[in-house]
Amino acid sequence: MKLFRYIAAALTLLPLSACESPMADSADHQAYRLIEQRQRESLGYSSQSQLDRESSPLAITPEAYGKTPHTTNSLPKSISDNSATQPGDPTTQPLSPSSQPVGNPLDQVLEAVGSNFPDLDKMPELPDFPRAIPKGKSRLLFNLDDSFNFALANARDYRSRKEDLYIAALNVALEHHQFEPRLFATTEATVTGNGEASDYATAFTAAQTVGVRQKLPYGGEVVASGIARSVQQLNDAVTTGSSADLVLTANIPLLRGAGKVAQENLIQTERDLIYEVRNFERYRRAFLVQIASAYYNLINQRAQVINRFQSVRSFIFIRARTEALFDAGRPRVTQLDVARAKQSEFQARNDLTNTIEQYELAVDSFKILIGMNAEQALDMKTQYLKITPPSITDIEAVAIASRLRLDLQTTRDRVDDARRANKVAGNNLLPDLNLAASAAVHSNPAAKSFSPDSRNLDYAAGVVLDWPLDRVAEKNSYRISLINIERAKRTVEQSTDTVAVEVRSAVRRVRQQIYLVALQKKNIDLAQARKEFADIQFKNGKIDNRDYVDAENALVDAQNRFAQAVASLQIATLQYLRDTDQLRVDYTGKLIPPDLAQGVKTETQPLFSGPATKPSTQPSTQPSSLPSSPPPTLPAAPSLPPG
């Protein structure tokens, strides 16, 4: 029959309807549109929020289904043979108290750690900085803009936060779908038979049900469906027949579950999406401030490395000149001066080595922060933001933060959520009084056709009352909802006070760093003048190397302190803007200071038109492919306060 051919055709189309990629595309389309709309409604602009996505269907290996994944506990022989020590090597075994050697403690230490040390009777060359990279590799050179751009595309934590925003949008899309007409269809095929008493009657029955259900905005649901059945005889004992039904049912609550409470899930998920938009935007701003802070710390550490190089070269000059004067028999130069000069050089080289190691470790940590491969060589170049430090009172700053802080606005909105939850809990205390109605039109059984006959109409309507005799759980929920309202209010009070403390601290930190920059600028001028005077006096033999070393150390210390003060002022200003939520970030990831944010038309996110492409987690190996020109809001160096 035609019905069976239709069923077979539908079954062949099932694999096509289960295709994964179009489903993911549809989810992306809904989620990205919702995110963009809510960002514009709550923030006034949108940000890049598309996710990476693997191709569908995903490739999977047989090992993924293994119940006991393989665990590696040993190295290949080619690697283990090259190890510095082998199990049982005496150098790796602790010494028992009775076997402790006697003699020079320094010799004991050298014997314990080995003797493969460079001979420093002849001073080695200064280390390379940055270190040489393997042949065929290249080093990336990042300024602040490059760091921002790379982090927004590759930082792992940032991508996770975008996924949280995406999931919140999917929840909203699902709740919207619950209040849309939803189609359903089922196909059933059954073989039935009876035993000997019925002469082994056997029949094949096929039934197809299609329909649509609609959830009502103020509670209840309406369902319309059509059912077609066909019975095919398998022997003479069963008669072939066909029938069809059209059914309309409705179930509408009149007390419990009626009214606005029916939309509670939709309302809450919509508000949760706004909260997530705010959270993501605050995170995005704070994340870029975190990147900037780490970047300026690197710039400061790199400046210290350069200062250490200059210091070592100065100490090499001091040691060489002291040795030359001692060899020439100058009466004021003694063997003690020569030893002191050599020790100063050793200490300077030691400090240089430690400073380089600290910088390289900080660079590796920075790579993890921005999502860069740890094996990629990276160095930093200086770029300062043109952000004027705020000149504002504590009271004014707190007032700004109280108005603009997105997390504080969300905390206040949570009070309304708690009050609304209380109304829902109160509604759950009511009895269940539901209106139930149904109507059905059947086909004529004698006609053996699928055509419904209006004369075969059945209908029913009535109300069902379920008395609220057991409402202990609902009573407890109602009381808890009252407690949650008070908790939400206290959270607002605490958050307001916490924000005020953070903002006041941020303002004081900016003032402190402004003073320290001016102080260290004066300090570095004095140290430079002292060093120049010490150069002249030392060359004329009027001071010994101790005074010269003191002047050299004072200059290096002043340079390091000034670099630290400048970096700290930039960081403190960004943190103040972050804590008051005055900082803005455009679609491309550029920081926009508050004095430039008004009237600035930021780039907007294009509407989603297809699946997002996954950005590469590997940086470009050519520095020339990175942004080369800084934006017009970024000068070469920060301005200093007068005096």
Side-chain angles (χ1 to χ4, degrees):
M1 295 177 63
K2 290 184 179 181
L3 175 62
F4 302 122
R5 289 198 295 269
Y6 294 153
I7 294 174
L11 292 176
T12 60
L13 292 175
L14 283 178
L16 297 179
S17 64
C19 186
E20 298 174 3
S21 184
M23 293 295 183
D25 292 344
S26 176
D28 287 347
H29 185 79
Q30 286 182 314
Y32 293 145
R33 284 185 178 275
L34 280 171
I35 291 172
E36 182 185 8
Q37 291 171 1
R38 300 308 183 268
Q39 283 179 331
R40 293 186 182 279
E41 291 170 0
S42 58
L43 304 174
Y45 57 90
S46 63
S47 62
Q48 203 283 334
S49 55
Q50 294 188 12
L51 304 179
D52 308 335
R53 206 181 81 199
E54 299 288 348
S55 58
S56 298
L58 298 178
I60 190 168
T61 61
E63 288 78 7
Y65 294 99
K67 296 180 179 178
T68 55
H70 176 70
T71 302
T72 302
N73 291 308
S74 60
L75 294 174
K77 185 174 178 55
S78 59
I79 298 179
S80 61
D81 289 345
N82 295 328
S83 299
T85 58
Q86 297 293 333
D89 192 324
T91 60
T92 66
Q93 303 302 319
L95 296 175
S96 63
S98 60
S99 63
Q100 293 289 347
V102 295
N104 189 343
L106 179 59
D107 294 336
Q108 298 174 22
V109 174
L110 292 177
E111 182 180 356
V113 300
S115 58
N116 187 21
F117 295 102
D119 182 10
L120 296 183
D121 288 339
K122 181 181 180 182
M123 290 294 183
E125 296 293 331
L126 294 179
D128 293 333
F129 182 79
R131 295 184 189 272
I133 58 178
K135 187 177 180 180
K137 302 290 184 179
S138 63
R139 176 179 287 107
L140 296 178
L141 190 62
F142 271 20
N143 61 14
L144 185 57
D145 278 343
D146 302 331
S147 303
F148 285 161
N149 295 337
F150 192 92
L152 291 178
N154 299 280
R156 300 171 182 90
D157 187 53
Y158 184 82
R159 291 158 67 182
S160 296
R161 295 302 294 263
K162 287 201 299 183
E163 291 165 352
D164 292 340
L165 179 61
Y166 180 88
I167 292 172
L170 285 184
N171 292 336
V172 172
L174 175 60
E175 289 301 326
H176 276 293
H177 178 66
Q178 298 298 323
F179 288 91
E180 296 173 349
R182 291 173 291 150
L183 298 174
F184 63 91
T186 58
T187 300
E188 181 181 356
T190 307
V191 176
T192 60
N194 296 319
E196 182 177 1
S198 302
D199 198 17
Y200 300 101
T202 307
F204 175 78
T205 303
Q208 179 66 46
T209 303
V210 295
V212 59
R213 55 170 47 94
Q214 173 71 61
K215 193 173 182 180
L216 301 178
Y218 292 98
E221 186 178 52
V222 176
V223 180
S225 61
I227 305 173
R229 298 185 185 87
S230 177
V231 180
Q232 178 70 39
Q233 67 175 4
L234 299 182
N235 55 37
D236 294 338
V238 179
T239 304
T240 301
S242 301
S243 64
D245 302 316
L246 296 179
V247 182
L248 178 66
T249 62
N251 189 354
I252 302 175
L254 301 178
L255 291 177
R256 189 184 188 191
K260 282 285 190 180
V261 297
Q263 304 179 38
E264 175 59 23
N265 289 339
L266 175 61
I267 294 172
Q268 190 59 59
T269 52
E270 284 276 16
R271 293 171 70 91
D272 287 342
L273 178 57
I274 295 296
Y275 301 159
E276 193 60 43
V277 165
R278 293 172 181 170
N279 290 339
F280 177 70
E281 182 61 21
R282 283 218 81 226
Y283 170 80
R284 199 164 72 107
R285 298 170 185 175
F287 178 69
L288 293 184
V289 172
Q290 182 184 9
I291 296 294
S293 300
Y295 168 82
Y296 283 123
N297 285 330
L298 285 177
I299 293 300
N300 176 48
Q301 290 181 267
R302 196 181 194 284
Q304 293 186 25
V305 172
I306 301 304
N307 293 339
R308 293 293 180 189
F309 268 102
Q310 296 173 352
S311 177
V312 170
R313 293 188 181 98
S314 296
F315 283 115
I316 292 174
F317 165 73
I318 294 173
R319 186 259 307 165
R321 188 176 186 279
T322 303
E323 289 177 338
L325 292 175
F326 178 76
D327 293 340
R330 293 288 293 268
R332 294 188 58 183
V333 181
T334 65
Q335 184 68 37
L336 181 61
D337 295 324
V338 174
R340 183 186 297 121
K342 287 184 177 180
Q343 279 189 302
S344 298
E345 181 183 349
F346 281 140
Q347 186 61 45
R349 287 176 178 269
N350 179 82
D351 293 342
L352 173 62
T353 302
N354 289 338
T355 306
I356 292 176
E357 172 60 26
Q358 292 170 1
Y359 174 75
E360 292 178 339
L361 178 60
V363 170
D364 288 340
S365 299
F366 187 73
K367 294 176 190 176
I368 296 175
L369 177 63
I370 65 176
M372 181 180 290
N373 187 340
E375 300 300 323
Q376 172 64 48
L378 176 66
D379 197 14
M380 317 306 293
K381 58 181 177 180
T382 305
Q383 177 185 1
Y384 288 105
L385 290 167
K386 185 181 179 181
I387 298 182
T388 305
S391 177
I392 193 172
T393 66
D394 294 358
I395 296 177
E396 292 171 335
V398 170
I400 292 173
S402 179
R403 179 176 178 82
L404 297 182
R405 280 282 290 252
L406 296 176
D407 57 338
L408 196 54
Q409 296 179 51
T410 297
T411 303
R412 297 187 186 113
D413 291 336
R414 295 284 188 189
V415 177
D416 291 334
D417 293 344
R419 289 169 176 160
R420 201 176 60 256
N422 172 256
K423 290 298 183 182
V424 174
N427 180 267
N428 286 333
L429 296 173
L430 298 175
D432 287 301
L433 180 62
N434 295 344
L435 172 63
S438 64
V441 179
H442 311 285
S443 62
N444 189 350
K448 297 182 180 181
S449 70
F450 294 113
S451 300
D453 190 341
S454 59
R455 293 172 296 179
N456 296 325
L457 172 64
D458 295 335
Y459 62 88
V463 293
V464 178
L465 175 63
D466 185 357
W467 293 93
L469 301 180
D470 183 6
R471 288 288 189 267
V472 175
E474 290 79 0
K475 175 193 65 177
N476 293 345
S477 297
Y478 180 77
R479 185 64 184 94
I480 292 173
S481 69
L482 293 174
I483 295 174
N484 289 336
I485 293 176
E486 297 304 317
R487 285 183 173 181
K489 291 179 180 179
R490 291 196 300 270
T491 301
V492 171
E493 295 173 358
Q494 181 174 346
S495 299
T496 302
D497 292 339
T498 301
V499 167
V501 171
E502 291 176 355
V503 172
R504 283 198 293 267
S505 176
V507 173
R508 291 194 301 268
R509 195 181 308 118
V510 171
R511 293 173 187 158
Q512 175 189 10
Q513 294 306 323
I514 291 175
Y515 173 75
L516 291 181
V517 168
L519 188 67
Q520 295 306 323
K521 180 63 172 63
K522 291 295 184 182
N523 185 31
I524 204 171
D525 292 340
L526 291 174
Q528 185 66 46
R530 177 184 174 186
K531 176 63 167 54
E532 292 173 356
F533 182 74
D535 286 340
I536 298 173
Q537 294 292 88
F538 186 68
K539 291 177 181 178
N540 294 334
K542 294 182 179 181
I543 61 173
D544 58 16
N545 59 358
R546 174 177 294 180
D547 293 331
Y548 188 86
V549 167
D550 289 343
E552 177 67 31
N553 288 335
L555 178 59
V556 172
D557 182 69
Q559 291 171 335
N560 291 338
R561 288 176 182 272
F562 178 73
Q564 178 65 50
V566 172
S568 297
L569 177 58
Q570 292 270 293
I571 295 172
T573 304
L574 288 175
Q575 289 173 342
Y576 161 78
L577 296 176
R578 176 202 64 192
D579 291 343
T580 56
D581 261 356
Q582 295 184 77
L583 195 63
R584 297 293 179 267
V585 183
D586 70 5
Y587 178 74
T588 62
K590 293 286 192 308
L591 291 174
I592 305 176
D595 54 343
L596 299 178
Q598 295 183 359
V600 175
K601 184 177 181 181
T602 59
E603 296 184 42
T604 57
Q605 179 182 9
L607 291 177
F608 174 72
S609 59
T613 58
K614 181 178 181 180
S616 173
T617 58
Q618 295 288 339
S620 171
T621 57
Q622 300 295 330
S624 59
S625 65
L626 298 170
S628 57
S629 59
T633 60
L634 300 174
S639 58
L640 297 175

